[in-house]
Amino acid sequence: MKIYVNANAGHDGNGTAAMPFRRINEAAKIAQPGDEVLVAPGIYREYVDPVNGGTEDAPITYLSEEPLGAVITGGEVAKGWEKYEGNVWVYRVDNGVFGDFNPYTTLIMGDWYSGDFVYHTGMVYLNDHMMYEEITLEDCIKGEVHLPSWEQDKSVYKWYTEQDTETNETVIYANFQGADPNVENVEINVRRTCFMPSKTGVGYITLRGFNVNKAATNWAPPAAYQEGMIGPNWSKGWIIEDCEVWGSRCCGISLGKYYDE
């Protein structure tokens, strides 16, 4: 069976060509072995949690109808920045928006991780470029070159976050080096993954032709639970091909070592 998805459909449908779903995850709830999920070009701001796997002879295929035209993203557009100081602007988000996962209070950590600084799984993107997190507001305001960076000219774009406990808001400061964030494309990541089953053993899935980006992933250690922007969560028979995978905070594609105590 072919299941159709189109983010630009006028209203929610039933997955037929005439009435496509608007979210890939709706198709992921009903797809069965041998089914093909055909996704129209568009931006899909969602977490796709495949419920069912395919079989070796009848995999479930998720296909972008136009190569790289369907974008699955963990990011959300951030508008409403206010000028703070110099090149630095401030953005406030009610913590209720994040639900039970706030990337701006969740720290990067895990087995084998030896980071010297306290960084968050959150990220700020200016015109699809990842900005550099600073651990103090003062360093964010300075906006100095990060010498170890491979792209030093981009390393002066900084951000810093803190919590306002009185208003229950996440506060993000960002040094845009003269750019106006209310004019440019600025996004923050809010989802910890983009395409990954929440349970193990969902095998034989093919993901083909998607642009997958901007997830708030944590560290993926070799011998403990691994989350990736795309991941099979310890399932077999997966094929990930012809995709553009970028902008994950830590891991783009993981094998998805299962969680255990």
Side-chain angles (χ1 to χ4, degrees):
M1 181 173 73
K2 295 184 185 297
I3 305 171
Y4 294 87
V5 183
N6 189 335
N8 299 308
H11 52 78
D12 289 325
N14 56 13
T16 61
M19 298 181 63
F21 290 126
R22 287 198 292 183
R23 300 177 70 83
I24 302 170
N25 200 48
E26 293 302 309
K29 292 177 181 178
I30 66 169
Q32 299 292 326
D35 287 349
E36 189 173 46
V37 178
L38 300 172
V39 184
I43 299 178
Y44 297 83
R45 300 185 186 277
E46 59 175 307
Y47 159 49
V48 182
D49 179 6
V51 172
N52 303 309
T55 66
E56 186 172 4
D57 296 328
I60 298 175
T61 299
Y62 293 79
L63 175 65
S64 174
E65 292 183 339
E66 176 185 302
L68 305 182
V71 180
I72 307 174
T73 180
E76 294 288 343
V77 175
K79 292 295 183 185
W81 293 82
E82 297 181 356
K83 204 70 180 292
Y84 178 72
E85 177 182 325
N87 289 322
V88 176
W89 298 64
V90 62
Y91 181 68
R92 307 179 75 92
V93 187
D94 188 301
N95 285 333
V97 170
F98 298 112
D100 59 0
F101 173 71
N102 184 340
Y104 303 91
T105 59
T106 303
L107 300 180
I108 297 174
M109 61 176 57
D111 289 355
W112 296 46
Y113 177 67
S114 58
D116 295 326
F117 301 106
V118 178
Y119 291 120
H120 298 88
T121 60
M123 180 58 68
V124 181
Y125 305 81
L126 172 62
N127 295 327
D128 289 338
H129 289 289
M130 301 171 74
M131 298 176 66
Y132 282 64
E133 183 178 6
E134 289 289 357
I135 59 174
T136 68
L137 178 56
E138 291 73 20
D139 286 337
C140 178
I141 294 172
K142 290 178 182 176
E144 296 177 345
V145 169
H146 182 65
L147 294 177
S149 172
W150 292 352
E151 297 179 299
Q152 292 191 6
D153 59 327
K154 293 184 174 64
S155 72
V156 297
Y157 295 88
K158 310 285 192 178
W159 68 276
Y160 164 79
T161 188
E162 62 186 18
Q163 292 294 303
D164 188 331
T165 56
E166 292 186 0
T167 61
N168 193 33
E169 291 177 316
T170 291
V171 185
I172 300 173
Y173 299 86
N175 189 331
F176 294 106
Q177 297 294 347
D180 185 339
N182 294 316
V183 174
E184 307 296 334
N185 176 35
V186 178
E187 296 181 67
I188 60 173
N189 61 7
V190 300
R191 284 172 286 278
R192 67 191 312 160
T193 186
C194 290
F195 192 100
M196 185 172 182
S198 57
K199 61 183 180 181
T200 61
V202 184
Y204 296 102
I205 285 178
T206 295
L207 185 71
R208 181 181 299 133
F210 288 85
N211 180 330
V212 186
N213 62 63
K214 301 187 182 82
T217 54
N218 213 320
W219 175 251
Y225 177 67
Q226 300 167 340
E227 64 184 25
M229 190 156 56
I230 303 172
N233 197 357
W234 216 244
S235 307
K236 65 180 182 180
W238 276 51
I239 297 174
I240 303 165
E241 60 184 2
D242 300 330
C243 293
E244 185 172 339
V245 182
W246 62 276
S248 178
R249 180 50 150 149
C250 287
C251 181
I253 300 174
S254 85
L255 292 177
K257 163 68 169 65
Y258 59 88
Y259 177 82
D260 62 49
E261 298 292 343

